[in-house]
Amino acid sequence: MAINFDHTLLAAHDSHASAVFLAAVLGLPAPRRWGPFDMVVADNGAKLDYMETSGDVTPQHYAFLVDEADFDAIFQRIRENKLDYWADPAQSMAGEINHRDGGRGVYFEDPNGHLLEVLTRPDGSGGWNP
């Protein structure tokens, strides 16, 4: 049997709004409700399940590997929505994208502070190593 990643939970103050945000920026189908979760399903079937909490949200990092055309579309939506973005996870290179491994990458936050990354080449695929 192959081992495949299926889903993860993301804490959110408004799970529906957070899931709608993610799906819209990434250009994925509208989220669906399943039990207490608002689920965003990636093209490979992996699910990001937003779960509402009234407590603190500890920001996490989620990365999405996309092709060049999807990167262009996603980056356009990031700019259209006037979202802050960075070339690095430390968020020190504001308003820039990176070109690691011969591709492109960008980081931005969801409404809960989760750091989302979109990249066109897997980390290390072109020899880049921090």
Side-chain angles (χ1 to χ4, degrees):
M1 176 176 132
I3 307 293
N4 293 292
F5 182 77
D6 185 68
H7 69 277
T8 192
L9 301 180
L10 293 81
H13 293 295
D14 182 334
S15 63
H16 180 72
S18 298
V20 167
F21 168 86
L22 180 63
V25 172
L26 295 181
L28 292 170
R32 59 186 166 121
R33 188 81 179 167
W34 185 76
F37 309 111
D38 287 283
M39 297 178 10
V40 177
V41 181
D43 290 334
N44 66 350
K47 296 172 282 302
L48 293 103
D49 300 348
Y50 278 95
M51 186 169 119
E52 202 148 319
T53 182
S54 59
D56 292 336
V57 172
T58 301
Q60 301 292 318
H61 174 189
Y62 300 93
F64 303 91
L65 183 62
V66 302
D67 65 22
E68 292 289 339
D70 285 330
F71 184 93
D72 289 338
I74 292 166
F75 189 51
Q76 176 72 23
R77 288 188 285 273
I78 288 170
R79 289 181 297 190
E80 285 173 355
N81 287 295
K82 297 180 175 37
L83 300 175
D84 292 332
Y85 62 90
W86 302 267
D88 63 317
Q91 299 173 310
S92 64
M93 301 171 70
E96 299 179 42
I97 66 170
N98 68 60
H99 297 278
R100 295 191 303 245
D101 291 306
R104 294 184 290 166
V106 67
Y107 296 81
F108 62 101
E109 292 182 350
D110 85 343
N112 306 284
H114 295 300
L115 188 61
L116 308 175
E117 177 184 6
V118 177
L119 66 161
T120 61
R121 297 278 308 264
D123 285 341
S125 64
W128 177 79
N129 188 345

